[in-house]
Amino acid sequence: MASIFNKAFRDSKRTMIWLSIGLGLYILMMMSIYPSLAEQADEISELMESYPEGIMRMFYSGDISEFNIVDPGIFLQTYVGTWGLLILGAIVIVQAFNAFTNAERDGTMDMTLSLPVSRRDLLVGRALNTAVTMLVVLAVCAVTVIVCAQIWPEFETDMVRVTIALLAGIFPLMVVAGFTYLLAVWVPSSRRFAGPIAYLFFFGSYLIYGLVGTVESLHWVQPLLLFDYYDIGGIINHGVDITNWLIMAAAAAVYFGLAWWLVDRKELGV
Amino acid sequence: MPNGNGVVIQTSQLTHRYGKFVAIKDLDLQVKQGEIFGFLGPNGAGKTTTIRTLLDFIRPSSGSATIFGMDTVRDSVAIRQRIGYLPSELALLDNWTGVQYIRWLEGVRKQRFMDEALRLAEQLDFDLNRSLKGMSTGMKRKMGLIVALAHKPELLILDEPTTGLDPLMQQVFHGLMREVREEGRTVFLSSHNLPEVEHICDRVGIIRSGELEAVETVAALTRVSFRWLHFTLAEPPARNGFSAIPGVTDLAVDGAQIRMRVSGETDMDAVIKAAADYTVRDIHIEQPTLEEIFLTYYGKKEA
């Protein structure tokens, strides 16, 4: 399993480096506008208040009555949390399909499994790589925010909570990874519908979350969706809600557990 | 270690279905320690499915298989520790150099075999320091052979091993197989190339439409094998000196072209001497198709 992880990690290194640089630069860019936002806090609050509540709900997953874009937690959630999660989620989906479906299609899976490696070791090694890769990128994001806070001291908040909030992004990402690995293992690689389902599960869930937020009678749907459980602003402003973490950890464990069980029953090859 | 009877691979009523399609049916096969066993059959006969079942990439629909006396499903990891495999369609994890790849394999197998890999690379005229990316099929094939052989496995499972190798490298490959046999190791080799199988194998299993038709020694197969011989003469022959040669049949003369079927046991010297009566412009030897071999084999068997 360690060899599989080493190989997967080595293969992911380039993605990890470029993703870290890309997201780091994005955070740097967004943080650079924070001082001007803070300077015009009153005007911006006035502007935001003129927005229809439905539209606000569509783009903000936290408590709308607390919404204040100049608040460092809400600023990070709006400009980093949501977009960062969407970008990293897409990478996680690609990694999971590369690990199984694409490896089966291009024949590299045969070479790997002709070695003394069990299918379950392969799954765990690759999933561990996804987790480590994502943790490294999230850590780079946290360090970037901390450095930015030194450059622009107007961004004044608890940096320990910022770090925890950003690293906690691993929970929703592992839910996405678990679901995608399950699909990759479950759906024969000759079938082409697993990819669209995974993307629909993730991006569709984001869109539905925003849409049902605008309709009061559909608010009950939100707790069924992943995005209800990860809120950077909430962690920074109110501390960690351990229930959210436990729910996401349980969902990821169920998906990975099913994938682990199924992978040993899979017919390999296209 | 093989089982008590010196049998390395044993399948019993092994069957695999893809939906309604039966890829292999009731396959009963035994491969003994120290032999090179050729698994001969046309494309789509079930050779690769058999190999994939032995390696536990796919599971038997019914029946079972053992390697070294261990169940191929339950003990697949332990079995693969002792096996070298070369697939018919080789896809290497190609973002490394050959040396990096071998080092990684050493880690996976928890065994050191870089020296052997370098020796094999030299024999196969392959540079292990080159990146595997963008290599030609033939070069990748050489790397595949190094990967399969370097850790000196007790059993080699090779699916169409010489596909993509030039004739010179095919000779090197035959030499390597002889080395493996001399060391008492076992080779299970699939092919649709009869001359290759005749050249290096001890025994041959013939598979057709998923069923094992026969298991024969190469000597027995050679007795039923034959070649088509084509002579192009300077002018149409006035008389025919070939028909009296034992083993020459299906003689056809079309102007200056002569075509004849020459059995594996025919004295070729007599054929060449008969041809010396004419001015020969060209000679062409054509190997029979596997279907022709099957027909000949069954013709003899029924007779």
Side-chain angles (χ1 to χ4, degrees), chain B residues 32-33 94 104 137 159 172-173 207 218 236 246-247 250 258 270:
Chain B
K32 293 172 193 155
Q33 189 189 9
D94 63 1
W104 178 69
T137 310
D159 197 357
V172 174
F173 169 75
I207 185 169
V218 166
D250 298 302
I258 301 179

Side-chain angles (χ1 to χ4, degrees), chain A:
Chain A
M1 199 259 282
S3 306
I4 297 297
F5 168 75
N6 289 342
K7 169 87 177 82
F9 189 66
R10 202 190 152 114
D11 290 347
S12 309
K13 227 158 44 181
R14 196 174 294 176
T15 308
M16 191 174 70
I17 290 168
W18 285 110
L19 202 55
S20 300
I21 292 172
L23 277 177
L25 286 174
Y26 170 74
I27 291 171
L28 193 70
M29 192 181 81
M30 296 320 293
M31 292 289 283
S32 72
I33 63 168
Y34 183 80
S36 53
L37 273 182
E39 215 172 87
Q40 301 173 58
D42 294 340
E43 291 93 324
I44 287 169
S45 292
E46 216 170 286
L47 179 73
M48 297 310 275
E49 276 163 22
S50 67
Y51 269 57
E53 196 182 312
I55 290 185
M56 301 284 283
R57 282 196 186 283
M58 198 177 277
F59 295 103
Y60 181 64
S61 57
D63 183 353
I64 204 75
S65 63
E66 287 184 2
F67 187 83
N68 173 13
I69 196 70
V70 181
D71 175 88
I74 293 173
F75 176 83
L76 269 188
Q77 166 64 23
T78 309
Y79 291 110
V80 177
T82 310
W83 295 112
L85 190 63
L86 288 173
I87 292 166
L88 293 180
I91 302 294
V92 160
I93 291 172
V94 170
Q95 272 197 346
F97 280 120
N98 277 344
F100 268 89
T101 313
N102 294 339
E104 261 187 276
R105 284 185 189 148
D106 66 22
T108 50
M109 176 84 92
D110 276 16
M111 284 308 281
T112 308
L113 285 181
S114 70
L115 304 170
V117 171
S118 75
R119 296 164 179 213
R120 286 175 173 168
D121 280 351
L122 186 66
L123 176 76
V124 175
R126 294 278 167 89
L128 198 61
N129 167 60
T130 302
V132 172
T133 307
M134 289 302 130
L135 270 174
V136 169
V137 177
L138 290 169
V140 170
C141 291
V143 168
T144 311
V145 173
I146 292 168
V147 170
C148 287
Q150 302 303 310
I151 300 172
W152 296 290
E154 294 87 342
F155 191 83
E156 199 182 345
T157 189
D158 183 344
M159 285 302 148
V160 174
R161 283 192 177 180
V162 167
T163 307
I164 291 172
L166 283 166
L167 290 179
I170 197 66
F171 287 104
L173 289 173
M174 290 321 283
V175 175
V176 177
F179 183 77
T180 314
Y181 272 100
L182 173 60
L183 275 177
V185 168
W186 188 15
V187 179
S189 57
S190 54
R191 306 271 185 246
R192 302 273 166 177
F193 57 81
I197 290 176
Y199 286 110
L200 203 64
F201 170 80
F202 185 53
F203 294 107
S205 143
Y206 172 67
L207 292 173
I208 292 167
Y209 188 84
L211 285 173
V212 298
T214 63
V215 184
E216 192 138 5
S217 60
L218 290 176
H219 281 184
W220 61 270
V221 177
Q222 285 190 321
L224 302 176
L225 301 166
L226 177 64
F227 288 86
D228 205 45
Y229 297 93
Y230 181 58
D231 174 16
I232 290 181
I235 296 173
I236 293 173
N237 291 331
H238 306 295
V240 171
D241 182 349
I242 203 84
T243 317
N244 284 345
W245 289 12
L246 287 175
I247 290 170
M248 287 189 282
V254 167
Y255 290 138
F256 275 116
L258 281 171
W260 189 83
W261 182 73
L262 274 173
V263 73
D264 219 28
R265 287 152 180 80
K266 186 175 171 63
E267 289 265 301
L268 296 175
V270 181

Side-chain angles (χ1 to χ4, degrees), chain B residues 256-300:
Chain B
Q257 305 279 336
I258 301 179
R259 179 182 190 255
M260 67 193 79
R261 181 174 154 146
V262 181
S263 82
E265 292 173 307
T266 301
D267 178 6
M268 282 300 278
D269 187 54
V271 177
I272 298 299
K273 278 181 177 151
D277 289 347
Y278 312 103
T279 306
V280 178
R281 294 265 186 250
D282 193 17
I283 304 174
H284 171 63
I285 300 171
E286 185 190 340
Q287 298 296 338
T289 63
L290 278 178
E291 206 54 36
E292 286 174 322
I293 291 283
F294 290 134
L295 290 173
T296 310
Y297 182 83
Y298 287 102
K300 283 218 167 182

Side-chain angles (χ1 to χ4, degrees), chain B residues 218-256:
Chain B
V218 166
L221 198 70
T222 307
R223 276 197 292 278
V224 297
S225 73
F226 63 89
R227 287 147 188 76
W228 289 105
L229 219 60
H230 301 256
F231 285 103
T232 304
L233 307 179
E235 54 194 40
R239 59 197 154 68
N240 185 346
F242 295 104
S243 52
I245 302 171
V248 172
T249 55
D250 298 302
L251 194 69
V253 181
D254 179 14

Side-chain angles (χ1 to χ4, degrees), chain B:
Chain B
M1 190 190 297
N3 71 11
N5 304 321
V7 174
V8 172
I9 299 177
Q10 174 134 30
T11 69
S12 170
Q13 301 281 296
L14 190 68
T15 301
H16 186 84
R17 295 185 197 89
Y18 294 105
K20 285 180 181 168
F21 175 72
V22 183
I24 48 172
K25 189 181 172 193
D26 296 334
L27 206 70
D28 288 316
L29 193 67
Q30 278 194 346
V31 178
K32 293 172 193 155
Q33 189 189 9
E35 72 174 338
I36 300 181
F37 187 93
F39 200 41
L40 191 65
N43 292 330
K47 303 187 296 290
T48 299
T49 300
T50 306
I51 287 174
R52 292 178 68 78
T53 312
L54 290 174
L55 289 163
D56 191 38
F57 296 163
I58 51 177
R59 301 277 158 80
S61 305
S62 60
S64 63
T66 61
I67 295 181
F68 308 121
M70 294 185 278
D71 186 84
T72 53
V73 176
R74 206 179 46 238
D75 307 310
S76 63
V77 176
I79 289 171
R80 292 196 300 250
Q81 178 68 40
R82 298 158 67 181
I83 283 182
Y85 168 59
L86 178 70
S88 59
E89 285 174 29
L90 179 66
L92 292 166
L93 308 160
D94 63 1
N95 47 356
W96 281 349
T97 65
V99 168
Q100 287 172 320
Y101 198 107
I102 295 295
R103 288 224 171 94
W104 178 69
L105 288 176
E106 286 183 323
V108 176
R109 293 195 174 276
K110 297 178 178 61
Q111 192 185 337
R112 297 269 152 235
F113 45 81
M114 183 59 82
D115 288 347
E116 179 64 8
L118 290 168
R119 185 188 75 85
L120 289 166
E122 199 178 328
Q123 272 190 275
L124 289 162
D125 192 22
F126 182 85
D127 181 4
L128 273 178
N129 290 307
R130 254 187 74 183
S131 165
L132 301 176
K133 207 167 202 164
M135 273 189 177
S136 67
T137 310
M139 293 304 271
K140 279 193 175 173
R141 209 81 198 141
K142 288 180 186 181
M143 183 63 199
L145 279 170
I146 295 168
V147 168
L149 286 157
H151 59 291
K152 289 195 166 274
E154 292 166 63
L155 169 66
L156 273 161
I157 297 183
L158 310 174
D159 197 357
E160 310 276 0
T162 52
T163 309
L165 289 183
D166 60 50
L168 193 66
M169 282 304 127
Q170 287 184 18
Q171 291 302 315
V172 174
F173 169 75
H174 294 163
L176 288 172
M177 290 303 99
R178 279 190 285 272
E179 264 180 43
V180 169
R181 178 170 43 200
E182 279 161 19
E183 289 167 10
R185 297 188 277 145
T186 312
V187 181
F188 182 82
L189 173 157
S190 91
S191 179
H192 58 257
N193 183 348
L194 181 66
E196 176 177 88
V197 167
E198 280 180 331
H199 196 67
I200 57 172
C201 293
D202 302 301
R203 286 195 309 143
V204 178
I206 300 173
I207 185 169
R208 191 164 64 149
S209 305
E211 293 188 59
L212 190 65
E213 301 281 2
V215 178
E216 288 290 351
T217 60
V218 166
L221 198 70
T222 307
R223 276 197 292 278
V224 297
S225 73
F226 63 89
R227 287 147 188 76
W228 289 105
L229 219 60
H230 301 256
F231 285 103
T232 304
L233 307 179
E235 54 194 40
R239 59 197 154 68
N240 185 346
F242 295 104
S243 52
I245 302 171
V248 172
T249 55
D250 298 302
L251 194 69
V253 181
D254 179 14
Q257 305 279 336
I258 301 179
R259 179 182 190 255
M260 67 193 79
R261 181 174 154 146
V262 181
S263 82
E265 292 173 307
T266 301
D267 178 6
M268 282 300 278
D269 187 54
V271 177
I272 298 299
K273 278 181 177 151
D277 289 347
Y278 312 103
T279 306
V280 178
R281 294 265 186 250
D282 193 17
I283 304 174
H284 171 63
I285 300 171
E286 185 190 340
Q287 298 296 338
T289 63
L290 278 178
E291 206 54 36
E292 286 174 322
I293 291 283
F294 290 134
L295 290 173
T296 310
Y297 182 83
Y298 287 102
K300 283 218 167 182
K301 210 171 161 187
E302 278 158 24

